[in-house]
Amino acid sequence: MFSDQRLADLNQPLLAEHQLHFQHLADSPRLRYQDVQAVVQKLIEFQVAIPSWALGTGGTRFGRFALGGEPRTLEEKIGDVGILQSLNRSSNSISLHIPWDIPQDIAGLQQLLKQQGLVIDSVNSNTFQDQKDQPQSYKFGSLSHTEKAVREQAIQHNIDCVRYGEQLDAKTLTVWLADGSNFPGQQHLRRAFLRTQESLAAIYEAMPTDWTMLVEYKPYEPNFYSMVIPDWGTSLALCQAIGANAQVLVDLGHHLPNTNIEQIVGRLRQFGRLGGFHFNGSMYGDDDLTTGSTKPFQLFLIFNELVDSALDQTVPAAAVAYMIDASHNVKDPLEDLLQSVENILSAYAKALLVDRNALNEAQESNDVVRAEEILRDAFLSDVRPLVAEAYRQSGGALNPIAAYRAEGVREQLIHQRGKHSVSTGL
Amino acid sequence: MFSDQRLADLNQPLLAEHQLHFQHLADSPRLRYQDVQAVVQKLIEFQVAIPSWALGTGGTRFGRFALGGEPRTLEEKIGDVGILQSLNRSSNSISLHIPWDIPQDIAGLQQLLKQQGLVIDSVNSNTFQDQKDQPQSYKFGSLSHTEKAVREQAIQHNIDCVRYGEQLDAKTLTVWLADGSNFPGQQHLRRAFLRTQESLAAIYEAMPTDWTMLVEYKPYEPNFYSMVIPDWGTSLALCQAIGANAQVLVDLGHHLPNTNIEQIVGRLRQFGRLGGFHFNGSMYGDDDLTTGSTKPFQLFLIFNELVDSALDQTVPAAAVAYMIDASHNVKDPLEDLLQSVENILSAYAKALLVDRNALNEAQESNDVVRAEEILRDAFLSDVRPLVAEAYRQSGGALNPIAAYRAEGVREQLIHQRGKHSVSTGL
Amino acid sequence: MFSDQRLADLNQPLLAEHQLHFQHLADSPRLRYQDVQAVVQKLIEFQVAIPSWALGTGGTRFGRFALGGEPRTLEEKIGDVGILQSLNRSSNSISLHIPWDIPQDIAGLQQLLKQQGLVIDSVNSNTFQDQKDQPQSYKFGSLSHTEKAVREQAIQHNIDCVRYGEQLDAKTLTVWLADGSNFPGQQHLRRAFLRTQESLAAIYEAMPTDWTMLVEYKPYEPNFYSMVIPDWGTSLALCQAIGANAQVLVDLGHHLPNTNIEQIVGRLRQFGRLGGFHFNGSMYGDDDLTTGSTKPFQLFLIFNELVDSALDQTVPAAAVAYMIDASHNVKDPLEDLLQSVENILSAYAKALLVDRNALNEAQESNDVVRAEEILRDAFLSDVRPLVAEAYRQSGGALNPIAAYRAEGVREQLIHQRGKHSVSTGL
Amino acid sequence: MFSDQRLADLNQPLLAEHQLHFQHLADSPRLRYQDVQAVVQKLIEFQVAIPSWALGTGGTRFGRFALGGEPRTLEEKIGDVGILQSLNRSSNSISLHIPWDIPQDIAGLQQLLKQQGLVIDSVNSNTFQDQKDQPQSYKFGSLSHTEKAVREQAIQHNIDCVRYGEQLDAKTLTVWLADGSNFPGQQHLRRAFLRTQESLAAIYEAMPTDWTMLVEYKPYEPNFYSMVIPDWGTSLALCQAIGANAQVLVDLGHHLPNTNIEQIVGRLRQFGRLGGFHFNGSMYGDDDLTTGSTKPFQLFLIFNELVDSALDQTVPAAAVAYMIDASHNVKDPLEDLLQSVENILSAYAKALLVDRNALNEAQESNDVVRAEEILRDAFLSDVRPLVAEAYRQSGGALNPIAAYRAEGVREQLIHQRGKHSVSTGL
């Protein structure tokens, strides 16, 4: 974790140039309709959760190239998130993955979290792998499995996750169900759905009433013919059948080619069922790259829907859980996460800059060119000074990655943890 | 229309070979679990509607190459469908498109239909084009338009369609909504959805209570950024909001790349909301080719879901309207329709041949290879003798296309209607 | 055409704010490695051709909604491009489409072009539609047709296009071949390729030696099973077989989902065979929208390859013809074209801003994060002041669309040409 | 390995029914233009190689569920292929993967291969993973790496593969290059290509002159922004630059959505550069499923191109290496491979049944319906009796999977090798 003094020292040489850009933006007649400080304030308040499983090097089925200095324990993972948070002040929470990160010393963890200014936001269950000594195998499914014993084991695992989460004051269970089939005929599609619905309902029953269950969808991988929950329509149908606190989770990489994701986001908000987000980047499939790295305009359009619906009285008020879910195959995971958070904040900042009254007017009068130009005006703006100012005002680094590198964090971590430490995860 | 005698003459030389194949299949130990005649009987009962707009040459935005002899009036279109029906006895109904086929002489039409053994199954509204002298333009939408006057015109047009349909004893209104936007920002996505919901509800209100409204979805084209109803989830949400007789229509070409359509079909059946089908063939998008011409296995898997769900007590009983919706750009439309119906019947026949008990057993025990083999066993069977037998038993031609060609039907139509007659349609 | 005085008047109220932004950018330490005026100069020199077929409202196969005031003659089309050119000074050339725009009064046209400061850059042949009274039909192909008479007609049409072009000092023939098939089996794929190669070679033979033939590729539409020239590999193979002046044309909308187009662009430059570009925007297929409207980052990455390869000594020097090829279905075509040119210039400006030495260094040392950040630094910059300055210095409007609207150009055109004038095109 | 006597015993109860079906097909007037025994003979001659890496359970990055009884050594792998070959007599060769299967006891292996009637057809290099104690890492590429030392290591590894192959009389080196980048800017696209070309040329130089180098392409995974060899066009360009014995390898799963693969196959044959095939099944990406399991019609159309080009005098004669490259995640790998070979033989059999004279005639006269029907006539035929007859005549099992199950092969393997034996591979 970076101390305030250290951060001040690192920021010092960058300050003058930052002020120049920020002031230019603040004074810009382009933004005359905006209160720039109000935008900065919203950026300061925005927080995105860091997944405990993404602090080590990720890989593909073809291999994994470790980096060194990876966290070996939950405590070390909290330490890594603490570093990120001290730099950008926008990642104050952790998504836990069970069983990779089963908390042992609860009191110690609570103290450690408090000390780093962090919270646990959600717990994620895992029924897509077999753990050593697990009685039943998930080879042919878990919550949708044909055999009751397998389903019961999977249900119990999810309930266990909730119990772990309760100990650490989490309020959200995220269920990503890998169940499906690889071949036509392998699975009875409708029965698999019904069994899944029953299993999810049983987990929901066991959840405290102030918890939220997030139901994720994905069209393919690890199953390549059918997934039991392939699309938002299926997620929504399941949530509606289960209860008000069951909500859809949108993972940016979990869509078929050319999907208009921002429309799905807006629609789920409208239906009062958008519970959370998994941010990552995707060009072909569930590529799990840095979010915003290949489709920055799409990320902006998604935030445009979020900002717009948050202002809309007709849309049910709702908390949306923002989480990163990426795999860091060729970058230092901590640098990648700093980039991801910055890309998210940039997209959010741009969405906040949209002149909504003017846009509404252009939309209602079908002035296509003008409507588009108003939206693009925000997208084309260089909002980096706003994001940096949010970092600065909240006590972080003006340039988190530069600070991370200047400090030699990775080298220190390798020194502490070794060149060949390997984190749990994919 | 082919007379019974003419058909008998045309069938005569083919009969011996047909009997050979049919008998081999009927005797085949492979089918020992099946009552072959029961399969043939189901094929005889199966009927698929012919669209009035697909009896002329279709085209793309790049051009259209007319064929000659195209029907110029609704009466001539009924005549064309009569020809098909006399040949295959499986296309006894017509989907009407308004305003291309506004019925004028109701009594005459009713008599003509009766004479040809045909019925009108559904009426299709058109709010994706402007008609001459139409007060409001649909350039920027219809049921979702920002202006009330446009929406009201579009609602009234749909109600008019219902009224026309009532006169001809139709019971179904098919709504394909082309509304959407071409550019980010052009349309307020959530308001467009709400206005659409209101408009559909108004039309639904005006429909007789024994009518069904089919709500079609499509991910893109003619709008290329967003469509108001892009996917089955949106269609379903609208239907649920509107009423029990609002049902989802699945058009095979209206999906993003790699979509598992058969799963959607099964799921909509499960939810009691699969109201109808538009059959066509697709390799890239809404290609509107002969159904089954590029993905015959997919067509079989779709019928597998339909047959399986029809046998399933837990699935709501429901009538599914089967309709062709294709564009015949390089084939004689009548030949193309004969092929389409045959491909549909073949897929249905194969689905009927599936040994469901064995399949269920393999599925429940996760014997993946066996489950797949059971399903493939049906698909790999050569069911052409079954389809031909269904034609024969119901009084049609053993080989409809051969009969059509032998009779020189197209040449006769060109002679009657001219080389340059052009049918309404796309 | 806007007079210099009128433009000065229109620019006057915007000038102070423009200077503020431009000066901020010019002074920015971010760009310290760049000579800003050199960038502006390159923008001034950049010219993109306007297609004669895109000056009227476009449409889809589902319909076309005319706008009014569309140009009715080639002379009026030149007038429209003159308006664009007077506003942005970046669209000084016209791509002609034959037979829609067969030049009649050559001397008059030459004078008109000169007067407007325009040139004809290329002629585009059309063998995807049948023209009235054309002896042979292209229904089943043109340059690839099975019948020699059809191929000869199509070859002669292309040669005619060259002859028309010669009269107007064009130097480029663009061949987009729509030939292909809709159904497996319809076309013998290899023979169709060989016939096409022969036909192209015959056209090439008839071309003056200082002309270039651009061979376009497209994976589907209007044919939906196979296209004779579906991908860059096929285009390249044909060009290599034909001659050094046969070059590949890349149309941004002519790729399968998820294609990395910038890599293709770089590779074709490397092979010395990138002859030209068709700019447009695409989310699903050949959507023909405003270029840069849905994937601005991709457009930047494409220009990054172009700028980088232009600086690379190992890459064959080559002229690349830049052309717009879009369809304006819901926007005023002239506004759309102004947007398109601006988006292209913006992408080019950003590519020029890339710190190539730093990028090379990061790439060679596999510093992934730094390489990415260097590239993104340019993309995230707000280059609108640079583009506006290029407009200004070259004598155009600081804000072309605002000027166009302020002047009421469309209203004037409607007044002159009528509400229902319809331009040739798709 | 099944003994002849055992196979005879297993075939006995199936023989009567088989003869019934085979005889019906042989007598069928449908096939009157075919010499059925000639077709069977071609099926007997057809051989497809089994990959040494696909004899154990495969997995995804999310996990792997082992089956038990997996081969632990190259000798055991040869044993497994021997079992397959004794059953279907169509898989007489093995593709070796280095370093997973480095041969040690050459003489012993040669004897073992001879005894089982097997040969080694190709060796496959692996530069997509780091091996223990490897000096240089492939994290950022191998043959395209920025550093010479890495490239040299990768080149030497490929040459080592050739040397291993020579010892076992292989004649083919298969190069699948995973190199690429995950982020825009990470890699200089053109330099990466040039370095790859140099590296491949160096390997080619070291190859015996009677060897073939197969250059595979893949659009994405494990890199998700760019692959150095993403498409057939790039593979072809590399092969042309390197030498006549460098040939393109087509892997069915390595294409963007909706690619017409059969056209690529035909084109590469035409260019004399189709060197080999990797068969597998794909619905979304490189799914590596049983070939033919999701797109049986596509597999048929591919064989149609192969059969047609083999008969075509204008196409360069060439040996095409047929290999399976799949991953068996939920099936017994040996059963999966038996299915795969059977699906390939079926597709080939159907392609052999096509009435080529009639098809050519229909194609040349643009009789679209007839051309399609001729092709479909072959596809819709039930060719299982032909494949079974080929098995029978060549001394294999009439129903290989049934024989495999009846014999309890997997149980025996588990008994011999243990429940937790794990094979090398992905």
Side-chain angles (χ1 to χ4, degrees), chain D residues 270-284:
Chain D
Q270 192 164 20
F271 299 155
R273 291 283 183 172
L274 180 70
F277 255 92
H278 275 179
F279 288 110
N280 50 52
S282 154
M283 182 147 159
Y284 303 98

Side-chain angles (χ1 to χ4, degrees), chain B residues 390-407:
Chain B
Y391 291 154
R392 193 192 66 77
Q393 288 189 22
S394 54
L398 275 170
N399 186 334
I401 290 176
Y404 175 89
R405 291 197 164 194
E407 200 69 3

Side-chain angles (χ1 to χ4, degrees), chain C residues 276-324:
Chain C
F277 255 92
H278 275 178
F279 288 110
N280 49 54
S282 153
M283 182 149 161
Y284 303 98
D286 189 28
D287 307 340
D288 273 338
L289 302 178
T290 320
T291 197
S293 64
T294 56
K295 299 179 183 165
F297 192 43
Q298 184 191 59
L299 193 60
F300 161 71
L301 293 171
I302 288 168
F303 270 96
N304 181 52
E305 286 302 312
L306 292 167
V307 168
D308 188 84
S309 57
L311 295 167
D312 188 339
Q313 306 281 359
T314 73
V315 168
V320 179
Y322 297 104
M323 307 177 249
I324 291 174

